[in-house]
Amino acid sequence: MNAITKTMSVAVLVALGLTLTAWAAEPPKTEAPEEVYVADLPWTSSTPGVRKHMMPSWPPGPKDIPITIGKVTYAKGIGTMTDQPTQSLVYLVKREVFESSVVIDISGKGYRSFSADVGAGGVQGCTFLVLVDGIVKARTRPIGNVPVKLSADVTNGRTLTLTAISYGKREWANWGDAKL
């Protein structure tokens, strides 16, 4: 088909109110955004006891405690205390269950992955979950105070939820160097 025939064909289709996508230009490719610390983004919601770039102090107070997992201290991250009782898992584990959560709107921002070093303050430990639009994308087994790398694909996600769960007692649960 030569250029004149293509032009006439497109003109006929347009006159008939039809569109032709085969000859449309490709959409521009979007670059992934630069890495950003999750704690630097606005949060949609969080449970009490969640702090940006610091661990919650115990007993509660103004004292700032750097985010630490084992012997590693992080300049940036999310410090939490799993102090919200939850009933959703009690029947499974037959003991008290506590959680902490942070919810971040990531819709339309082009983020592709999430990563963090996670760890709890106590020996009993916590389970860490990364959910995208309510679907678990990554999780740990119950871990204690040794940093464990956790990452998840967040491509095309709208909501990122970071949840830590402790069983039987409240725990510090930290997300060191948490980035999108």
Side-chain angles (χ1 to χ4, degrees), residues 130-155:
V130 177
L131 297 92
V132 177
D133 300 332
I135 299 169
V136 176
K137 294 290 187 167
R139 66 174 293 154
T140 66
R141 58 177 173 63
I143 57 173
N145 58 1
V146 175
V148 172
K149 182 63 83 180
L150 185 62
S151 60
D153 180 11
V154 299
T155 305

Side-chain angles (χ1 to χ4, degrees), residues 12 17 19 23 29 43 49 58 70 72 76 79 116 119 143-144 153 158 163-164 167 172 177:
V12 169
T19 59
W23 291 329
K29 294 183 180 179
W43 297 349
W58 190 257
V72 181
K76 296 204 171 210
I143 57 173
D153 180 11
R158 294 183 307 275
T163 299
Y167 310 96
W172 277 283
D177 214 22

Side-chain angles (χ1 to χ4, degrees), residues 1-14 20 23:
M1 185 181 294
N2 64 33
I4 296 173
T5 310
K6 281 184 184 177
T7 304
M8 289 174 45
S9 298
V10 170
V12 169
L13 289 172
V14 170
L20 183 65
W23 291 329

Side-chain angles (χ1 to χ4, degrees), residues 12 17 40 51 95 119 132 179:
V12 169
D40 291 339
R51 303 217 24 221
R95 58 185 164 167
V132 177
K179 296 179 189 173

